[in-house]
Amino acid sequence: FATPPNDPSAPEYLTASPDANASDPYIVQKATELNHDPAQIFAFVRDQIGYESYNGSLRGARGVLWSKAGNSLDRASLLIALLRASNVPARYAFGTLTDDQAKSQILSMFKLPLNVVGCPPPGLLVSEPEKLALLLDETREHYWVEFNDGGTFQPADPSQETSTIGQGWTAAQALFSEIPDTLRHKVTIRIKREITSQLADRLFMGIGVGNDLKTVLSHTFNTVELVGKPLSTGHFVSSNSFGALFISVTTNHYSPYLLIGRGDGDITDDPIIRGEDYQEQFSNFPLSNNVLTGVFLELEVTDPSGQSKIYERVMADRVGFAARQNGGSGNVAVSPDVSPIISELDIVTANVLPGLQSQSAVGPQHDKVAQIQAELDSLKPQLDLIPSTGPQSDAQRALLARVAGLNRNINAATNEGIGQVFALTSDLALSQLQKGYLTKGYYASPRLIVTHSRKQGGAVNISMDLMKNDLRALPFPGQTVGTNTFFEIMRGLMDSTLEGQVLSAVTGQTTTSIGDVFKAKGADNPLVLLSSESVQKLDALALSDEAKARISQAVSAGKSVLTPSKMVTVNGKTTVAWLETDWINGGHTIGVMEDGGHFAFAEYAAVLNNPLNNIVAAFSGTINGRSVVYIQCTAELLGGVAGQLPL
């Protein structure tokens, strides 16, 4: 820890930091509600913000305020942010708790409902969370606040119900004004593109030598900075063609970008990060094509110890998962007039949530979508006047470009809102599940809720993917050991089912989720349980090559899979879905669709018969319908009409 200055008036004691952002509007509002009074602020954090054990700075001030809980470091960040927002100098303090103190803090996480009765049978192991080495190690590292209220710094540690200002729980071993970067959880977002040279691939007999995989956009965030600030990735796309003699060439240009949602009612001031442009080229000259065979989104989650894990979402793939798993190359058949593999409506939005979702964020999101929708509605009469054939004026081209931008924005904004509404629904289900199973469940690393809008042929497909949904499940003291496994399985089933219900409510469309697949499978399509001991049964199942490849990968990783024995027809389409249970990680269960996503999807039909602009004109009505339903749904949620979630 860097040694802070002794002068209480040093500017760093009032500066907003990523973890203790005193200028955050949610923090400013709460500080105002507490009359900018240090005593009221301290009492609020002590009495209203619970303790949850995890390592490092994960949620920050806003995340703790939304979750109403955090570890000692994040609680200190909230307290500091509220004090600094009230113009009260404050700094962090660090010390080490004794085992007895740590056990007391751990046990404070478990608040038994008043209606619990019963007794576990004799001889069964019961939970003693206060003795778990992981929790003890995390809790011993203790943080609190020192603030200056017109005199000298005095301790303010809200860890105990009886804590008072001026009372310390342990001796300070270090003081600092801002959390060291090494204590922060981080998320890195990347876009990778794969371009395949057909000539090189043919020369090297299709072994993939011609595949050029490159990162074209990468940015790392502290998770505390992403609470209520979704990340949307997409591309600006253009094409041009020319011909000379007997040769024709078409070039598709792709410009990747990352849009950082501010979580307010205006999308126009949201920061945007541009990536490195790339292109693909098609020609009727033999083997001269350089083909964009894949675009992949990666989200890498890294904890303060340096351990990381990468989660991938396919944005586009001309090869296919099964072919890649089986050693296939990027040598795909294309024609010189091939369209871009990605459109400007293909947007992937990640809600990165290190804690719970606040309902207060739904209002600004609703206003944002409504504002864009109103502008689109105002432009529709002018758009309808543009002829479907013939030349366009500069004003007409400018109008099309403006509408294209609004369509991109409304896609990103509704993607953000879908993730929010699902998180709210899931959080309520989690609260109910904890009471039923007497199991404490909370997030010790961020959730990744991903919504993907993409144009596929004559339709817009919207999917929601629980890319990362694991939490820490701890049976209450005295509860039977192993209850957390059943809790996790039930949570996975509930969330996988809620996906479809939420997506249907927010989009107004018929959705396809794992629940729909299981309902539609029929009596002649029994469920089959696969594990490492029974994986040989997979070959005999009438499933697609892609489904078999993904199930095989899951079983090889030690998971069990419950799947229909053959493909299922849902909403007129043939597909399949299965449940994966990760026994290594406490029974974490999640539904998986055929393409590997943990999601439900909806589809908007649209006829691409407008030669003006497939993105702008032909899809304006489609996007309009989606946003109108979203606005209505969130308005009902805000007005209380929807009642208790789930929807």
Side-chain angles (χ1 to χ4, degrees), residues 50 60 117 137 140 159-160 163 274 457 545 588 632-633:
V117 295
D137 288 343
R140 287 191 197 99
S159 301
Q160 298 172 286
S163 296
R274 293 292 298 272
D545 290 342
H588 176 57
Q632 178 182 356
C633 175

Side-chain angles (χ1 to χ4, degrees), residues 461-534:
N461 180 287
I462 304 97
S463 62
M464 185 172 62
D465 187 346
L466 300 184
M467 184 177 283
K468 181 179 183 295
N469 195 39
D470 55 309
L471 54 62
R472 183 176 289 178
L474 303 169
F476 272 52
Q479 173 66 298
T480 305
V481 170
T483 302
N484 54 313
T485 300
F486 299 104
F487 169 88
E488 271 287 62
I489 292 173
M490 181 56 67
R491 185 179 72 91
L493 291 171
M494 288 183 66
D495 275 353
S496 295
T497 301
L498 286 173
E499 279 183 291
Q501 296 176 347
V502 169
L503 193 59
S504 178
V506 176
T507 65
Q509 298 296 304
T510 300
T511 59
T512 301
S513 67
I514 186 170
D516 300 310
V517 172
F518 276 29
K519 287 178 184 176
K521 68 179 185 61
D524 63 338
N525 189 359
L527 294 174
V528 177
L529 181 64
L530 301 173
S531 65
S532 57
E533 291 79 18
S534 58

Side-chain angles (χ1 to χ4, degrees), residues 138-173:
E138 292 172 346
T139 307
R140 287 191 197 99
E141 295 187 2
H142 187 62
Y143 300 86
W144 65 98
V145 174
E146 291 187 353
F147 75 92
N148 180 267
D149 191 18
T152 59
F153 280 107
Q154 54 183 323
D157 188 343
S159 301
Q160 298 172 286
E161 293 180 358
T162 57
S163 296
T164 60
I165 294 175
Q167 175 188 16
W169 204 15
T170 188
Q173 298 170 249

